[in-house]
Amino acid sequence: MINHEKYMRVALEQAKEALSQGEFPVGTVFVHEERVIASGQRAHTRGRLAPVNEIDHAEVLALRNFLAEESEIPMEDIVVYATMEPCLMCFSTMILNGIRNIVYAYEDVMGGGTSLSLQQLKPLYAGMNVHITPHVLREQSLELFQRFFSNPENEYWKDSLLANYTISQ
């Protein structure tokens, strides 16, 4: 059995690195057979591309990094670890690429996509069997998001439902 906490700690390191650069603290790692095979961290939540860039999410960047390797690893054998529940864009991007196992730490009350009922969608999605494991090392991830939202220099999602929920935890 996979030690989810072990790999979530690696994702948390990615998130800490993002936070140290003033970015939104989302980190993601892809794991196959007890080995990290790709990683990513949220980018462009500050600077000249912010806040218009909603493409460079940690999960998408990790997926791009994995695909760039031209690996023969079947996507359905990969477990994705993310410090925040994947948004609808990231969730759908991952499952369309064949990922079926997602583990996350902190719930995204504003934009989380993992509770989407695939069975109620069109046939492409309805037959997908995706396994979601929530709240692995939630408190450690929550602390990073609280630090982010408590910093007055950070404008990303400032005063949003997510920010208010996070600060109130």
Side-chain angles (χ1 to χ4, degrees), residues 131-150:
H131 188 272
I132 308 294
T133 305
H135 303 132
V136 174
L137 298 181
R138 179 188 183 275
E139 293 302 315
Q140 291 86 333
S141 187
L142 170 61
E143 190 271 327
L144 295 177
F145 289 102
Q146 286 175 328
R147 284 177 38 203
F148 179 85
F149 286 124
S150 296

Side-chain angles (χ1 to χ4, degrees), residues 38-49:
S39 63
Q41 56 189 249
R42 185 64 169 95
H44 300 117
T45 57
R46 61 180 293 143
R48 72 174 185 81
L49 294 177

Side-chain angles (χ1 to χ4, degrees), residues 5-168:
E5 289 186 4
K6 174 181 176 181
Y7 297 106
M8 188 59 74
R9 282 186 182 86
V10 179
L12 284 163
E13 289 303 315
Q14 290 288 315
K16 288 175 186 173
E17 176 63 26
L19 183 62
S20 76
Q21 297 172 21
E23 298 284 357
F24 196 55
V26 180
T28 300
V29 294
F30 285 22
V31 175
H32 178 256
E33 295 182 351
E34 305 280 332
R35 186 172 62 90
V36 174
I37 57 172
S39 63
Q41 56 189 249
R42 185 64 169 95
H44 300 117
T45 57
R46 61 180 293 143
R48 72 174 185 81
L49 294 177
V52 297
N53 184 333
E54 283 298 336
I55 297 169
D56 292 336
H57 288 207
E59 299 91 339
V60 171
L61 296 177
L63 181 61
R64 286 180 180 161
N65 291 337
F66 172 75
L67 294 173
E69 295 295 318
E70 299 183 26
S71 174
E72 298 296 321
I73 297 172
M75 297 296 265
E76 64 270 10
D77 293 346
I78 294 171
V79 180
V80 173
Y81 292 84
T83 58
M84 176 173 267
E85 177 184 5
C87 71
L88 186 56
M89 175 186 73
C90 293
F91 181 62
S92 60
T93 298
M94 289 188 293
I95 66 174
L96 280 172
N97 279 279
I99 291 172
R100 298 294 181 259
N101 296 290
I102 300 169
V103 180
Y104 69 84
Y106 184 55
E107 65 276 9
D108 182 350
V109 298
M110 189 170 75
T114 64
S115 62
L116 179 66
S117 177
L118 298 175
Q119 291 69 34
Q120 294 182 358
L121 298 177
K122 302 289 184 181
L124 175 64
Y125 302 96
M128 292 182 181
N129 185 18
V130 180
H131 188 272
I132 308 294
T133 305
H135 303 132
V136 174
L137 298 181
R138 179 188 183 275
E139 293 302 315
Q140 291 86 333
S141 187
L142 170 61
E143 190 271 327
L144 295 177
F145 289 102
Q146 286 175 328
R147 284 177 38 203
F148 179 85
F149 286 124
S150 296
N151 183 341
E153 294 179 20
N154 293 323
E155 294 290 323
Y156 187 71
W157 291 121
K158 184 178 183 176
D159 298 322
S160 66
L161 171 65
L162 179 61
N164 295 329
Y165 174 82
T166 299
I167 296 298
S168 72

